[in-house]
Structure formats: structure tokens, C-alpha cells
């Protein structure tokens, strides 16, 4: 079965940078998109950014554009989220997820495999 494990979360000052990693193993399908989502207690999990199966196309939420960058190695065994100019409102648990798709879905319903999440806290 597919397993995802996030790492790299922690405490960072506002304006600072952080890089999250997601390792992928046990894939049962050939083509899939990888996405990052985040969630604050009491609120719905929200889309942040995603990369398609080929690694050639990306999509991002407005809150992430210009500050967050998603990337992967050639085999997509590791996916990264590079975050710059972090703000207190970026504080959340960040989740890595996979969707079996030839495209680049942004809806949470398309993603079926999830990591355990990693906490990112931005102090002011």
C-alpha cells in the first residue's frame, strides 16, 4: 500500500524559511499527483500546492503563490515544499497527499493517500 511520511516542520520566525519533505513508498499505480494541504484546529483542511505525475506542471493556492514552491525528485519518491517569507497565518499542520490522476487536481476529494502531518509554527 502507499505510505507517505512528512518531515521538516518546526518553529520559525516570521519572514523566515522552512523546507518540508515527504517520502513516498509502496505506490500501487503509475501516474499520480502529489499535493500539500494544511489544517488549523476547528477549520477544514485546505489546498496549498500540487505537482502532476510528470513533475512538469504545478498549481498553487493564492496564499502560496510567490512564497511556496513544490518540487520532487525524478522518481517522485520525495516531494518538497519550500516555504519563504513565512507569516503567522501560515501556522498549521501540513499534510502530504497523493491522488491517482493523469492531471493536477486541487480538490481534496481526489486525494486518497495521506501522511501523518507535520506541525509548522510561525512566531511574530
Amino acid at each position: 500500500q502507499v505510505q507517505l511520511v512528512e518531515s521538516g516542520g518546526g518553529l520559525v520566525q516570521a519572514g523566515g524559511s522552512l523546507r518540508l519533505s515527504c517520502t513516498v513508498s509502496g505506490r500501487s499505480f503509475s501516474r499520480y499527483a502529489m499535493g500539500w494541504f494544511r489544517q488549523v484546529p476547528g477549520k477544514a483542511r485546505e489546498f496549498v500546492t500540487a505537482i502532476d505525475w510528470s513533475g512538469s506542471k504545478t498549481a498553487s493556492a493564492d496564499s502560496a503563490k510567490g512564497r511556496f514552491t513544490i518540487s520532487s525528485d525524478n522518481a517522485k519518491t520525495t516531494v518538497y515544499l519550500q516555504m519563504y517569507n513565512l507569516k503567522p497565518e501560515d501556522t498549521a499542520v501540513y499534510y502530504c497527499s497523493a491522488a491517482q490522476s493523469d492531471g493536477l487536481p486541487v480538490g481534496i476529494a481526489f486525494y486518497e493517500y495521506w501522511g501523518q502531518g507535520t506541525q509548522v509554527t510561525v512566531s511574530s
Side-chain angles (χ1 to χ4, degrees), residues 27-33 52-54 75-76 99-102:
R27 286 172 290 174
S28 60
F29 46 85
S30 298
R31 299 185 177 186
Y32 60 97
D52 77 339
W53 69 273
S54 70
K76 297 189 72 173
Q100 186 173 353
S101 175
D102 290 338

Side-chain angles (χ1 to χ4, degrees), residues 26-81:
R27 286 172 290 174
S28 60
F29 46 85
S30 298
R31 299 185 177 186
Y32 60 97
M34 298 296 301
W36 286 96
F37 295 76
R38 66 186 184 186
Q39 187 169 26
V40 177
K43 297 183 179 180
R45 193 169 299 184
E46 66 176 8
F47 171 77
V48 177
T49 186
I51 188 167
D52 77 339
W53 69 273
S54 70
S56 63
K57 186 177 180 181
T58 63
S60 298
D62 289 341
S63 61
K65 291 179 180 177
R67 299 190 301 123
F68 295 1
T69 301
I70 187 170
S71 63
S72 65
D73 62 9
N74 291 336
K76 297 189 72 173
T77 55
T78 305
V79 181
Y80 305 96
L81 179 63

Side-chain angles (χ1 to χ4, degrees), residues 64-117:
K65 291 179 180 177
R67 299 190 301 123
F68 295 1
T69 301
I70 187 170
S71 63
S72 65
D73 62 9
N74 291 336
K76 297 189 72 173
T77 55
T78 305
V79 181
Y80 305 96
L81 179 63
Q82 179 66 59
M83 302 183 288
Y84 297 101
N85 191 26
L86 283 161
K87 306 175 184 296
E89 52 263 42
D90 294 319
T91 296
V93 176
Y94 284 72
Y95 296 90
C96 178
S97 188
Q100 186 173 353
S101 175
D102 290 338
L104 189 60
V106 299
I108 191 171
F110 291 94
Y111 290 83
E112 58 187 307
Y113 304 106
W114 295 88
Q116 82 289 345

